[in-house]
Amino acid sequence: MGIDSSRTAFERTRRSVGGGVSSGLRATMRPVPLFVERGHGAHLWDLDGDRYLDYVMAWGPLVHGHSHPQVVDAVARVATSMQVVGMGHRLEYEAAEAVLASVPGAQRLVWTNTGTEAVQVALRFARAATGRHRIVKFAKAYHGWHDSVYASMSADDTGESPVPAALGQSPNAHADLIISRFNDTAGIAELLAHAEERRIAAVLIDPIMSNAGVLTPEPGFLETLRSLCDRHGVVLIFDEVITGFRIARGGAAERFGVRPDLSVFGKAIAGGFTQSAVVGRADIIDLVEHGLTHAGTFNGNPVALAAVQASMELSATPGVFDKLEDLGDAFEQAITDVLVSAGAPGSLRRVGSLAQFVPRDQATSLHGTDGLWAEIAAGMLESGVVFMPSGKIFLSTAHTLTDIQETAARLERVLQHVSARSA
């Protein structure tokens, strides 16, 4: 397979779009970002008409694959009637009811548009509910690109004080941010013991460190965190932009049996369309009726909510998450067998349909995992399989056991070539 048209398209795009991509992390794909013409099921077709098996799945939203007919049909029916109306409509409550029925303990929600935006809305709710202003997040956790939470993304950023993660961030943006460490029960307990005097409003956590190597909570960590937040009057926020409607119908709250006060959902909530939501306790969400401002021209737009309703129907289909779990297990076994037999310096870590290649003695990164994985990803692209630059892998209900077997076979060939070049 060739990517000549993608290379040409990338060079042309760079003349009009900053960096040549619409989201900066896409530029880390090697050798160049793939430009596609269409997607269907588990496959993509590039500008040359070459077909690829896709494990990027739009960076996570496509739990049911590209262009699922139930989602596409639902959107098409609404789009011919209205787009953005700036008024109430039936889908506002129908889609909301479907989301609330999926998430354990959820009582109310507000609609937003992106994960980054929804996180900021959730933090505003937490501050309004507690009368405090500071936020605790965990090192290496990604909660969107907003200055207030985009900090301490490196494995070396282990201190309590936040470290800016990008150029252009305000030096004052992190004044309300405190950094803790995932699975460090003693550390978070010490922080929250002084929650009142330190004015801590919320703990913001990705219950699975999705962008930091797919790290899972140690037994009792989330339960202890829930208890500590209750004891010290702190709002517990789950960032489920990636895990929501992917690792279980009810996300991490269902999988781990721990209910946060607020959850942030995006990506899979709308099956490939732009939508997010802040979901949680009614007494907190209802602060919008008592002085908390929540605004947005595109909030709750009918086209996206049609996709939400269809996606919720798909996630409620009996056996759908059993299928995803089985596919994930098959993928893990097949790929692990290849990695072990090839003596590759890395392994696979997985939760449900979310997986991560973990290179030995090298930290994974939101911005791309270099070294062996960069060579693997480039080789797999050449063989017709698309992996993410970070080493994260998303499965969907559109993938098949045949796809997984073919992926393993191609990976074996790529590892042989990589080994031969380094010999």
Side-chain angles (χ1 to χ4, degrees), residues 249-416:
R249 182 188 177 197
E254 176 182 329
R255 191 167 185 116
F256 298 116
V258 176
R259 297 182 179 182
D261 300 301
L262 297 173
S263 296
V264 174
F265 293 102
K267 292 189 184 289
I269 197 173
F273 288 81
T274 304
Q275 187 61 226
S276 62
V278 180
V279 178
R281 285 168 35 191
D283 62 306
I284 297 179
I285 300 294
D286 286 348
L287 289 170
V288 294
E289 300 179 6
H290 304 285
L292 187 149
T293 298
H294 171 60
T297 297
F298 292 96
N299 289 351
N301 78 83
V303 173
L305 292 191
V308 170
Q309 187 177 38
S311 297
M312 293 304 98
E313 290 170 355
L314 287 170
S315 71
T317 303
V320 68
F321 287 98
D322 291 336
K323 177 180 180 179
L324 284 168
E325 194 69 46
D326 290 344
L327 284 168
D329 184 60
F331 185 89
E332 181 179 11
Q333 289 186 36
I335 299 305
T336 298
D337 286 348
V338 171
L339 293 173
V340 170
S341 65
S347 59
L348 199 73
R349 190 180 291 147
R350 181 186 66 87
V351 180
S353 62
L354 170 63
Q356 171 77 48
F357 175 79
V358 183
R360 192 179 305 146
D361 302 324
Q362 181 183 342
T364 58
S365 170
L366 171 69
H367 301 282
T369 299
D370 293 325
L372 175 65
W373 179 255
E375 292 188 64
I376 291 174
M380 292 299 282
L381 184 67
E382 180 64 27
S383 75
V385 178
V386 190
F387 283 152
M388 287 179 64
S390 66
K392 195 153 62 263
I393 293 158
F394 291 107
L395 288 154
S396 77
T397 58
H399 287 95
T400 66
L401 292 177
T402 300
D403 291 331
I404 291 170
Q405 292 162 0
E406 183 60 32
T407 300
R410 296 184 193 185
L411 176 61
E412 186 173 26
R413 292 194 293 270
V414 166
L415 287 174
Q416 289 171 350

Side-chain angles (χ1 to χ4, degrees), residues 72-157:
V72 172
D73 289 349
V75 168
R77 286 194 300 271
V78 171
T80 57
S81 301
M82 54 182 172
Q83 295 81 48
V84 176
V85 292
M87 300 179 190
H89 52 88
R90 186 180 294 114
L91 279 164
E92 284 187 299
Y93 58 79
E94 289 180 346
E97 289 165 359
V99 171
L100 296 179
S102 301
V103 181
Q107 298 173 315
R108 207 89 82 230
L109 65 72
V110 293
W111 296 117
T112 53
N113 297 288
T114 68
T116 292
E117 181 183 348
V119 166
Q120 297 304 309
V121 173
L123 298 185
R124 178 173 289 184
F125 274 117
R127 290 178 171 123
T130 62
R132 306 170 188 171
H133 59 275
R134 302 193 76 186
I135 307 299
V136 176
K137 66 150 275 191
F138 296 88
K140 292 191 71 179
Y142 178 70
H143 300 291
W145 52 260
H146 195 278
D147 279 5
S148 64
V149 290
Y150 191 42
S152 297
M153 297 299 298
S154 167
D156 299 326
D157 300 335

Side-chain angles (χ1 to χ4, degrees), residues 169-207:
Q169 292 185 264
S170 167
N172 302 316
H174 300 140
D176 291 339
L177 195 62
I178 302 171
I179 306 301
S180 188
R181 281 148 298 283
F182 192 70
N183 281 328
D184 181 359
T185 302
I188 193 65
E190 172 63 22
L191 268 178
L192 295 186
H194 305 283
E196 177 61 42
E197 62 191 86
R198 298 194 68 175
R199 311 305 295 159
I200 296 173
V203 172
L204 173 64
I205 184 171
D206 181 349

Side-chain angles (χ1 to χ4, degrees), residues 20 25 70 144 166 216 417:
L25 298 181
Q70 191 166 333
T216 55
H417 290 312

